[in-house]
Amino acid sequence: MTAFFKVVLPSLYPFLRLPILAVLAYASASVEIPLILGPNSPPTLAVAIMQWFHDVDLNLRIKASAGAIVQIALTLLLLLGWWQAEKLIKKLSQSMLVNGKREYAGAIIQNITHVITVLMLTVIGLALLGMVLWSFAGFWAYPDLLPHTFVTQHWQSALQQMRTPLVDTLLIGVCATGLAVVLTLLTLESEQHTSKAISRLTSVIIYLPLLIPSIAFLFGLVWVLEQMSSHHTFINVVLAHLLFVLPYVFLSLASSYRRLDPRFSYVAASLGASQAKIFWQIKLPMLLAPIFIAVALGLAISFSQYLPTLLAGGGRINTITTEAVSLANGASRRTSAVYALVQMLLPALGFLLAWALPKMLLTHRE
Amino acid sequence: MQKHEQISAANSNTSSLVIEQLTIQRQQQVLLSLNETIAGGDILTIMGPSGSGKSTLLNWLTGMLPKGFSAKGNLYLNGQSITDTASHMRRIGLLYQDPLLFPHLTVAGNISFAMPAGAKAQRQADISQALSQVGLAGLEHRNPQSLSGGQQARVALLRVLLSQPKAILLDEPFSKLDSQLRQETRQLVFEQIRQHKLPAIMVTHDQSDADAAQGKIISLF
């Protein structure tokens, strides 16, 4: 335990920083979570901004814009606070790292970690079980532990209802992820041609959508899209999704792409292969597994987008996620459960395929 | 592995690799200068500690000098200047200490990747013949990772030779093989270089490699 805190964590933390900041930014400005958990409670700032934007009274839009600025400031303040806390802890713990003390209540910390892990897993497991039960429940009176009857009717009717949202979800996901993967591969390949890594500014631009609350800039994006072509809602949604899919795809592909032994390319070139041939016949096949993972990740991110779908689609395009959120505070817990499960199964299926397909493709010739 | 027949015919009488007045600099500092002519079948050995510029020299020869380095001088292969020729047009084969066989291709796939286009049946026959000449008959459809280290090294050699290079560069080619295998592989590689009359440059830090090459030895510091 002490080894972890003294040696592993300090070198591990730099890799965790971006994800932590992204989660922090997301949590500070999430719209869908408050909508699901407390639809009738006083809104959080992010939810209030959205309500103002959608109000019939157009004057409220100005208030919403001001709210968006406040939201950005708030999130920035949080990120800044985190950064300062990080520096403070680093400063304060400096002497502890090298004082030679070998043991800091390791057993207690370990036990606490175990308890938290078990608790989290239990809660998630029970929630999942509850959802499965609800999705099959017939009549279920209050004090009973299990439903009286099990029926498949909710699944049947929900699956029928969700046909269009499901197709839209998949189409948008495939388009946004496809674009993101192509853009990422082109960027990484050109990086190797010019043997110059992308500049800091470019990385910041790529990762910016993760750090700025989407509620704060999406309305601006929607306004721009409307000025350009208000009729192509599908394209608008795909572009809005791309903004959020791209950073994750880039993050997941970049390290594998840059880590690929450059000598493979050197050897291939010395054997007379052009850059294009090396890209198509050496790099892509060798990176098949990471590319599949990036695709699955991109799909999962696209599937989970709520606000971009809602805003860029102008409410005319529904995906499983927008349906699930609007159903969550509605009447039927059973239908909600089906939607939530489908929403979970889709990305799971993607990752399963990403894990299995490269294995099948690479071993069938053995 | 005593005697190996010639694997393909790519030799000409006048083959030579000429490094003319080469100076490689890193940030205004001279890293190395060289002026050498290597005749076909000869092996020039470059020795020196790491950081002495051995790899940089190979990078320049293959046209892959990294950013931060600058080079003056000319490179001629069989009388033609290839100083500014793109890497994949130079016809200079490259052998590393790792075989670097492409893991997604079979043994035959790795070799045919390197071969010039031609009739499929003829290419397959050439591959089979070449494999059997180095004691690897029947391994065409094996996965490279399922081969032993020595077998992989031999496939890597065949891959280079069947790409019909006009010169060969060896970057510590035997340093990952154990001593028995090292001698055998070394003998095989050098034999092929001499039979094909290819000019070769070997970078190594092993004296026995240098001795076996029986050519000029240059030490970089």
Side-chain angles (χ1 to χ4, degrees):
Chain A
M1 262 298 150
T2 310
F4 175 79
F5 281 113
K6 284 192 171 186
V7 180
V8 181
L9 191 59
S11 49
L12 188 66
Y13 185 77
F15 298 101
L16 295 175
R17 187 182 287 120
L18 183 64
I20 289 178
L21 293 182
V23 169
L24 201 62
Y26 171 80
S28 73
S30 166
V31 169
E32 54 267 43
I33 305 288
L35 275 184
I36 292 170
L37 293 181
N40 302 318
S41 330
T44 60
L45 179 58
V47 174
I49 294 170
M50 198 176 72
Q51 285 167 354
W52 293 332
F53 260 114
H54 282 166
D55 205 283
V56 248
D57 182 1
L58 289 180
N59 285 327
L60 279 182
R61 284 207 163 195
I62 296 164
K63 196 171 164 187
S65 304
I69 303 283
V70 172
Q71 177 70 62
I72 291 186
L74 197 74
T75 304
L76 280 181
L77 212 65
L78 259 173
L79 297 181
L80 216 68
W82 183 273
W83 184 46
Q84 288 303 322
E86 191 184 290
K87 272 168 85 173
L88 195 70
I89 291 174
K90 203 169 158 188
K91 215 170 175 180
L92 292 179
S93 59
Q94 205 84 65
S95 63
M96 257 165 61
L97 290 184
V98 290
N99 65 1
K101 206 171 152 188
R102 296 285 190 272
E103 193 56 49
Y104 283 99
I108 298 173
I109 296 174
Q110 204 155 17
N111 282 335
I112 293 176
T113 330
H114 283 163
V115 169
I116 293 175
T117 314
V118 169
L119 211 66
M120 293 267 285
L121 288 180
T122 316
V123 168
I124 294 172
L126 284 178
L128 195 62
L129 185 71
M131 255 181 337
V132 173
L133 283 179
W134 272 117
S135 75
F136 286 107
F139 179 67
W140 196 356
Y142 163 61
D144 295 345
L145 193 59
L146 289 173
H148 272 267
T149 48
F150 288 95
V151 291
T152 55
Q153 163 203 336
H154 317 306
W155 276 93
Q156 282 170 2
S157 62
L159 282 179
Q160 207 129 51
Q161 278 172 35
M162 70 171 65
R163 193 163 297 163
T164 319
L166 193 61
V167 170
D168 281 348
T169 304
L170 291 174
L171 268 180
I172 293 165
V174 167
C175 290
T177 307
L179 277 173
V181 169
V182 169
L183 284 174
T184 302
L185 285 176
L186 288 178
T187 309
L188 291 169
E189 178 64 12
S190 107
E191 196 182 73
Q192 298 196 340
H193 278 221
T194 56
S195 58
K196 199 171 76 183
I198 55 167
S199 67
R200 262 192 112 76
L201 184 69
T202 318
S203 340
V204 168
I205 291 173
I206 292 176
Y207 297 134
L208 211 53
L210 299 185
L211 297 177
I212 294 186
S214 46
I215 184 81
F217 74 86
L218 268 177
F219 282 105
L221 181 77
V222 169
W223 182 81
V224 171
L225 286 175
E226 272 171 3
Q227 299 305 308
M228 285 156 58
S229 64
S230 62
H231 312 297
H232 304 102
T233 41
F234 181 80
I235 298 176
N236 292 352
V237 174
V238 168
L239 288 179
H241 277 212
L242 181 62
L243 220 51
F244 299 92
V245 171
L246 186 65
Y248 287 98
V249 169
F250 196 89
L251 260 177
S252 102
L253 254 183
S255 59
S256 338
Y257 209 90
R258 290 173 183 153
R259 252 203 324 254
L260 186 70
D261 193 336
R263 293 180 306 167
F264 279 113
S265 305
Y266 299 164
V267 165
S270 83
L271 297 172
S274 65
Q275 292 285 358
K277 189 179 176 188
I278 294 171
F279 177 73
W280 290 108
Q281 295 189 19
I282 302 297
K283 289 184 187 168
L284 283 194
M286 284 184 72
L287 291 165
L288 200 60
I291 289 174
F292 272 66
I293 294 288
V295 167
L297 184 65
L299 287 175
I301 296 295
S302 167
F303 292 162
S304 71
Q305 292 305 314
Y306 172 69
L307 210 54
T309 318
L310 195 70
L311 297 184
R316 269 167 289 174
I317 289 190
N318 292 316
T319 61
I320 297 294
T321 298
T322 59
E323 294 283 79
V325 173
S326 59
L327 280 171
N329 45 43
S332 173
R333 221 174 250 192
R334 293 166 173 83
T335 316
S336 264
V338 176
Y339 272 86
L341 283 174
V342 170
Q343 208 194 350
M344 261 171 14
L345 285 175
L346 277 182
L349 200 70
F351 282 110
L352 192 73
L353 283 176
W355 170 76
L357 276 179
K359 285 195 177 174
M360 277 158 59
L361 287 173
L362 289 177
T363 48
H364 73 104
R365 62 181 164 72
E366 254 328 83
Chain B
M1 261 182 279
Q2 267 80 41
K3 196 162 182 289
H4 299 285
E5 291 146 67
Q6 194 163 309
I7 281 162
S8 74
N11 53 330
S12 64
N13 308 327
T14 59
S15 67
S16 69
L17 185 67
V18 180
I19 301 171
E20 187 189 68
Q21 307 287 355
L22 169 67
T23 316
I24 298 182
Q25 287 190 320
R26 181 173 50 193
Q27 286 138 16
Q28 319 301 326
Q29 217 174 3
V30 175
L31 192 62
L32 63 94
S33 353
L34 212 58
N35 199 27
E36 286 297 328
T37 300
I38 305 137
D42 283 357
I43 301 165
L44 171 71
T45 302
I46 312 265
M47 297 192 76
S50 51
S52 60
K54 289 177 302 186
S55 319
T56 312
L57 174 64
L58 290 190
N59 285 333
W60 179 74
L61 289 165
T62 50
M64 297 164 190
L65 200 65
K67 280 252 162 76
F69 293 92
S70 60
K72 265 191 226 115
N74 289 308
L75 182 63
Y76 298 95
L77 183 56
N78 300 346
Q80 280 187 328
S81 169
I82 55 166
T83 317
D84 299 315
T85 308
S87 300
H88 68 283
M89 309 286 276
R90 292 193 173 201
R91 316 272 317 254
I92 295 183
L94 195 53
L95 265 185
Y96 284 106
Q97 54 183 323
D98 299 301
L100 296 171
L101 299 176
F102 306 127
H104 59 287
L105 299 174
T106 58
V107 167
N110 264 279
I111 298 174
S112 65
F113 177 89
M115 288 167 73
K120 199 177 170 193
Q122 183 58 47
R123 283 155 62 97
Q124 274 171 353
D126 288 349
I127 293 171
S128 299
Q129 197 202 349
L131 281 172
S132 61
Q133 277 170 8
V134 296
L136 297 174
L139 297 187
E140 283 93 332
H141 301 296
R142 287 280 289 276
N143 199 327
Q145 285 107 317
S146 69
L147 303 183
S148 73
Q151 290 174 323
Q152 290 192 23
R154 276 176 272 163
V155 174
L157 174 65
L158 290 185
R159 184 173 65 174
V160 170
L161 291 176
L162 289 182
S163 76
Q164 300 179 359
K166 300 263 162 73
I168 282 200
L169 306 179
L170 310 164
D171 189 359
E172 312 234 6
F174 319 114
S175 64
K176 285 210 172 153
L177 303 170
D178 56 48
S179 58
Q180 169 68 24
L181 207 54
R182 187 185 182 108
Q183 262 179 30
E184 278 177 18
T185 313
R186 189 163 60 202
Q187 197 189 349
L188 173 66
V189 171
F190 289 174
E191 259 174 36
Q192 293 296 337
I193 287 171
R194 288 180 189 126
Q195 275 171 8
H196 288 84
K197 296 210 164 29
L198 295 171
I201 297 179
M202 174 170 67
V203 159
T204 184
H205 57 250
D206 186 283
Q207 191 60 46
S208 66
D209 283 352
D211 296 340
Q214 296 169 4
K216 186 174 176 183
I217 300 173
I218 295 177
S219 289
L220 297 176
F221 297 102

